């Protein structure tokens, strides 16, 4: 299903635009690998959040719960950094190659996303 | 089940120690209310993380995924702040009333937890 | 002059209130020591900010400037954590001993300050 | 003096490389404008840090000092975001145009800088 999605994407969109819409520019195979890594990370984080629910239900000491919250927040930020790096590598670089004003829009958009990550 | 847990907790622990072990000092009723609120928050965050998995599977644009990551991180930090406030109100305040050196240990422990939240 | 200030402070304010107004409860000597440490930290941070100005004037590479900004931000947050720990140790603990509703106000105030540090 | 520096820079470096070394690609005039803005921001932050020293000397209430620390941290991060946006716009975009492996190095370097900003 991953491969189908990706094929469809790359069939229906111009390469650079497509690279930008799905945030990747590697075509089906390389892309589905990154996608699997992202999903693994997110499933691990989902497990950490369920672990937090158990900790609350079992009246675990607040400070130990806070330590687990910090770990989950750090894991979410590492995921965001990975996604951002791929975005800069593919979408922002593609916009630079296209030339014109798109690069300014892409850089402003990425900077706003970085600002949102910093503010949280 | 929440109520059962809580009753057990408050039956088996000395008030101040219990207040500190479970991070609350309000006895079964008030406590089970806080607990339900914490679990509601965490279930909402778990839903956000599953939403992130769907976004990745559906090749949603990176920047939109990053926006959702920022929202989830913010929600985790609000949960942490709520937990920390209850901890300061009950555990740290109880330690102050007990006197002796426990207050220094509790304050050092809370400060370390705040530092971990800031570092992420 | 530090010592004069502190003497005046501890002469003119009730111990607990004074502890809370100046954020310390150790009396002149211990207090002036903490104060000197805080000023040393802040002068070092001021030097880092002037260093950033030199880096900009000398066209230093952006990434190296960003590394120095991260160091200055970290130094500011360590200062804030030190101040917060003393505040919890003295003002919040004093409010707990006083009893009444002041502890709720102090904890809410400290939690709001922690939230502001996290949001930045 | 700003202008002299900048002229020297642009005389002695190839346009793209120069754009990347000084993190700007606008040539002397546009560049000296950005530089002046950066220096204005940094002087304002330096003033805030001196303000913090006065607050400590005058025994201002901890919570009010913490509020000022949060403001200074926010100002430092806004400066970092501005610098980062210019870096992405000029250095990273130039690397993309040059082609080859430089873009990967530049993106990895920028991502590491973003990670350092997030960790503080």
């Amino acid at each position: 299903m991953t491969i189908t999605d990706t094929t469809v994407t790359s069939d229906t969109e111009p390469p650079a635009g497509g690279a930008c819409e799905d945030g990747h520019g590697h075509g089906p195979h390389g892309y589905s690998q990154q996608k699997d890594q992202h999903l693994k990370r997110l499933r691990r984080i989902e497990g950490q959040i369920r672990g937090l629910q158990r900790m609350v239900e079992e009246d675990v000491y607040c400070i130990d719960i806070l330590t687990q919250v910090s770990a989950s927040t750090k894991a979410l930020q590492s995921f965001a950094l990975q996604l951002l790096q791929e975005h800069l590598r593919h979408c922002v670089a593609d916009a630079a190659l296209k030339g014109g004003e798109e690069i300014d829009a892409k850089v402003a958009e990425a900077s706003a996303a970085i600002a949102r990550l910093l503010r949280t």
Side-chain angles (χ1 to χ4, degrees), chain A:
Chain A
M1 187 221 168
T2 306
I3 288 157
T4 323
D5 282 355
T6 319
T7 317
V8 171
T9 309
S10 45
D11 286 346
T12 54
E13 288 170 342
C20 222
E21 287 330 302
D22 66 22
H24 304 79
H26 284 160
H29 183 60
Y31 174 51
S32 64
Q33 281 183 330
Q34 291 172 318
K35 202 163 161 169
D36 291 348
Q37 283 173 12
H38 293 326
L39 289 172
K40 268 201 200 68
R41 275 171 174 273
L42 288 171
R43 285 192 205 99
R44 207 176 302 118
I45 294 168
E46 186 188 340
Q48 288 176 311
I49 305 299
R50 270 199 298 267
L52 280 166
Q53 293 170 45
R54 274 190 302 278
M55 291 172 98
V56 168
E57 273 163 357
E58 294 165 7
D59 305 324
V60 169
Y61 183 45
C62 324
I63 296 293
D64 299 328
I65 300 180
L66 288 172
T67 302
Q68 175 63 26
V69 173
S70 296
S72 308
T73 310
K74 202 173 211 111
L76 268 171
Q77 288 194 330
S78 304
F79 168 69
L81 284 166
Q82 179 61 38
L83 213 62
L84 187 65
Q85 181 161 6
E86 291 164 15
H87 181 70
L88 294 175
R89 178 63 188 85
H90 301 294
C91 313
V92 175
D94 291 335
L97 293 172
K98 276 189 185 168
E101 292 167 352
E102 191 174 341
I103 181 66
D104 293 315
K106 286 292 171 193
V107 165
E109 183 186 58
S111 303
I114 296 163
R116 280 191 296 273
L117 290 172
L118 273 174
R119 295 276 169 275
T120 52

